[in-house]
Amino acid sequence: MAQSTLPTRTNTTVSDDEAVADGEPGDTIGLLTERLRAWKHMCGYLEGYITAVSHEQKANAKDQEKVLKSISKPLREGHHFDQALGGVAGLFENMRANTSGIANMHLETAKNLDGTVLPILGRLHAEIKNKTKEIENGAGKGSKSVEKARNESQKYIELLGTHTANFDSSGGKVSHHNDPYVLQRNIYYRLNKQLIEENNNRGDIITVQNNFQQFETHVLQQVQAALNSFQQFMGSQADRQKAMYSDISGVASNIPADFEWNGFVKRNDNLLVNPNAPPRSMANVSFPNQNHRGTKPLIEGSLERKSRGLGSLKGYSAAYYAVSPAGYLHQYKDNDDFRHEPTPEISLYLPDCTIGAVSDTKFTIKGKDVSSKIGGSHEFQFKAHTPSDAKTWHDIISQKSTGTASLPTSPIDTSAASATTSPISPTPTEKETAHAAAGAGGEPGKIDTTVGSSSQGTAPTSTTSTQPPPSFTSTSPQQQAGVVSGSTPKGHEDHYHGQPGEKQLEGRTYIQK
């Protein structure tokens, strides 16, 4: 292949040693300026930290004031504590004083941080800013001059390359101002000027770099001075605060274990219980109306009662009974008032009850248990331990009852009484009864149970048994006078009798057993 005869353009790029350097002269200044900004931001961080600590100290002072407010009021029931020093009251006075001191100490620390530490960092911050401006106005401007000189040199080097190519292609025909010789001499001029600017700028940068180390040493010394001052204030506060808390703890630890109690006992000796005094007993207890007549039972003791219903198969069971002056017969399980609350199991209101006659050791009461809300009138069968006990119980119960079982007597004239030879009339035969009924104007076959008048001159007859009940074996004064006792009507053979008659029987009287 034939070699090309066209003119070629030579490479006009030169190395740092030959002509224009590749690196930007402002890169070094930019790097140093950026480092100053880093130091400035570091200083700003420290200023923010100290400012935040100062605000925290002020907030702590307010918090301590709140803490002080929590114990500023006197102790409730404070009279229970000894007001002398060395006790609980003195401890709280010490706590108030130390808490107030801690609050003031926080305010003092905040003032020291704002007035001493922050100004050091503030001055350092200003120095870093001034250093940055100094570099930008000094070495920074030199870098711009170097940049301008490099651009001029590069321009002529490129022109030389262009016109040397034209020189080869045109056979050496060029204009006088584009003569490669002239252009090369202009390049020498501009390169020399560029090198002078670069060397001057290089000297300025070296000076800045050398001063930079000293400046950073100064920055670190100022930071250390600020933090040393910060440590002194905070350390002093911590030591004082520790001493105040230790003082509170020491005052509390020095209170004797029995100091408050001994003082309390001394102040309230007249109100506290004497441990040497004997304990109280029921034997020495008294209360109002303790011996009122309504509290004294007419009789009390053990009786046996026959159970009702299915319980009747068990027979009699013992319990404790009492007749109160109010007219009640109360049944208790026992006579113990201390182990459990004494609540009556059965209460009979005797004025509403009917009392049966005594049979050996037994007697009956018919009435309603007023302690129960259900059920009506029932018959309660009692048994005493001895006949005399039964008689005593029956007599007292009868005094409170309006329905005592006794035999009614009919009033008769004296002639009939003189004709009577026995206190109890013999039982008449059916024939005699019919004859007596016919003689009285009644119908034959019927028994006249009405009481005759004294004008008839005959004693009234009544149906009686030949053998009286055990409760009526003794004769009453009326029977001794010839009065015949009336027998129990048929269908009423039990020991209960109703109230005296209001019509035919209104003249009868009852003999108390």
Side-chain angles (χ1 to χ4, degrees):
M1 178 181 290
Q3 187 175 2
S4 175
T5 59
L6 294 176
T8 60
R9 185 173 181 176
T10 59
N11 187 8
T12 59
T13 303
V14 296
S15 64
D16 292 341
D17 295 336
E18 294 179 353
V20 181
D22 291 334
E24 294 292 337
D27 292 345
T28 303
I29 299 301
L31 179 63
L32 295 177
T33 303
E34 185 181 21
R35 184 167 179 80
L36 286 176
R37 285 199 303 269
W39 282 110
K40 182 182 69 174
H41 292 156
M42 180 277 303
C43 186
Y45 274 40
L46 286 178
E47 288 180 290
Y49 172 77
I50 300 300
T51 301
V53 173
S54 176
H55 291 167
E56 186 259 347
Q57 292 297 314
K58 295 176 182 177
N60 285 345
K62 294 182 179 179
D63 291 340
Q64 289 298 321
E65 291 176 358
K66 295 179 181 179
V67 174
L68 177 61
K69 188 177 180 180
S70 67
I71 57 175
S72 60
K73 296 181 180 179
L75 290 173
R76 293 182 179 179
E77 293 82 28
H79 59 278
H80 281 269
F81 301 105
D82 200 322
Q83 301 303 313
L85 295 178
V88 173
L91 169 63
F92 275 86
E93 289 297 329
N94 179 270
M95 292 174 63
R96 295 185 186 99
N98 282 310
T99 304
S100 178
I102 292 174
N104 295 332
M105 181 180 60
H106 282 297
L107 289 176
E108 181 182 351
T109 302
K111 291 180 180 179
N112 290 332
L113 295 179
D114 293 339
T116 303
V117 180
L118 282 178
I120 297 175
L121 297 175
R123 289 191 296 268
L124 179 61
H125 199 153
E127 290 180 10
I128 295 174
K129 286 185 177 181
N130 293 333
K131 188 67 174 178
T132 303
K133 291 180 180 180
E134 178 184 343
I135 293 176
E136 290 176 351
N137 295 330
K141 290 184 178 181
S143 298
K144 292 180 180 179
S145 299
V146 171
E147 183 67 22
K148 183 178 179 181
R150 285 182 177 181
N151 291 335
E152 288 290 330
S153 299
Q154 184 65 29
K155 176 182 177 182
Y156 276 90
I157 290 173
E158 290 178 355
L159 285 175
L160 178 61
T162 301
H163 291 291
T164 53
N166 291 335
F167 179 83
D168 291 336
S169 62
S170 63
K173 293 181 179 182
V174 292
S175 62
H176 68 281
H177 56 276
N178 291 327
D179 188 351
Y181 173 77
V182 175
L183 293 176
Q184 182 171 326
R185 292 192 65 174
N186 288 330
I187 290 173
Y188 288 149
Y189 171 76
R190 284 168 175 77
L191 283 177
N192 182 62
K193 185 178 180 181
Q194 172 190 333
L195 293 177
I196 292 173
E197 293 291 343
E198 287 180 352
N199 290 331
N200 291 335
N201 185 54
R202 180 175 179 273
D204 293 339
I205 292 175
I206 291 174
T207 302
V208 170
Q209 290 180 178
N210 293 334
N211 293 334
F212 223 89
Q213 181 180 1
Q214 297 177 358
F215 181 74
E216 287 192 1
T217 301
H218 170 71
V219 170
L220 285 176
Q221 289 175 349
Q222 293 299 309
V223 170
Q224 291 169 354
L227 293 181
N228 287 335
S229 179
F230 172 77
Q231 187 274 334
Q232 290 178 359
F233 293 129
M234 298 304 295
S236 175
Q237 173 194 305
D239 293 339
R240 292 169 59 190
Q241 185 170 348
K242 180 180 178 181
M244 291 179 180
Y245 284 126
S246 298
D247 183 54
I248 294 175
S249 176
V251 170
S253 300
N254 291 331
I255 299 177
D258 57 350
F259 178 81
E260 289 293 344
W261 176 252
N262 291 338
F264 173 72
V265 171
K266 184 177 180 180
R267 293 189 303 271
N268 300 276
D269 182 59
N270 59 329
L271 298 177
L272 295 176
V273 177
N274 185 4
N276 299 323
R280 299 180 65 191
S281 65
M282 287 297 297
N284 301 325
V285 172
S286 62
F287 49 88
N289 298 317
Q290 182 179 8
N291 297 318
H292 188 272
R293 60 187 181 86
T295 64
K296 301 297 183 181
L298 302 180
I299 187 173
E300 63 180 345
S302 175
L303 289 176
E304 296 183 13
R305 182 177 64 84
K306 190 175 184 180
S307 302
R308 295 182 289 108
L310 296 177
S312 61
L313 299 177
K314 299 180 181 179
Y316 287 86
S317 58
Y320 193 84
Y321 294 86
V323 177
S324 68
Y328 289 95
L329 174 63
H330 297 295
Q331 173 187 318
Y332 291 91
K333 184 177 181 180
D334 50 39
N335 193 29
D336 190 349
D337 293 339
F338 304 137
R339 287 186 302 174
H340 51 78
E341 184 177 358
T343 302
E345 298 177 347
I346 294 177
S347 293
L348 300 177
Y349 186 56
L350 297 178
D352 293 342
C353 297
T354 304
I355 314 302
V358 178
S359 175
D360 193 18
T361 60
K362 301 178 181 179
F363 61 92
T364 57
I365 300 176
K366 187 175 184 180
K368 183 180 182 300
D369 178 13
V370 295
S371 65
S372 176
K373 296 182 179 180
I374 59 175
S377 179
H378 299 284
E379 179 179 310
F380 297 89
Q381 302 180 22
F382 297 93
K383 182 171 68 172
H385 298 291
T386 63
S388 61
D389 291 345
K391 181 67 169 57
T392 303
W393 277 92
H394 185 271
D395 290 344
I396 295 176
I397 292 174
S398 299
Q399 294 175 5
K400 288 295 181 180
S401 173
T402 59
T404 305
S406 58
L407 294 178
T409 58
S410 300
I412 57 176
D413 55 10
T414 57
S415 61
S418 61
T420 304
T421 59
S422 173
I424 301 178
S425 301
T427 303
T429 62
E430 294 181 0
K431 184 176 180 180
E432 293 174 346
T433 303
H435 179 71
E443 296 180 2
K446 292 186 178 180
I447 300 174
D448 187 5
T449 59
T450 60
V451 180
S453 63
S454 60
S455 61
Q456 293 176 347
T458 59
T461 60
S462 60
T463 305
T464 59
S465 60
T466 57
Q467 297 295 332
S471 59
F472 304 113
T473 55
S474 61
T475 59
S476 64
Q478 289 84 347
Q479 291 173 331
Q480 295 176 359
V483 180
V484 180
S485 300
S487 63
T488 304
K490 187 176 182 180
H492 297 276
E493 292 83 3
D494 55 9
H495 298 291
Y496 299 100
H497 299 273
Q499 297 293 333
E502 297 179 355
K503 294 182 181 180
Q504 294 91 342
L505 303 180
E506 61 184 357
R508 293 186 178 185
T509 60
Y510 284 80
I511 300 173
Q512 182 68 37
K513 180 64 179 178

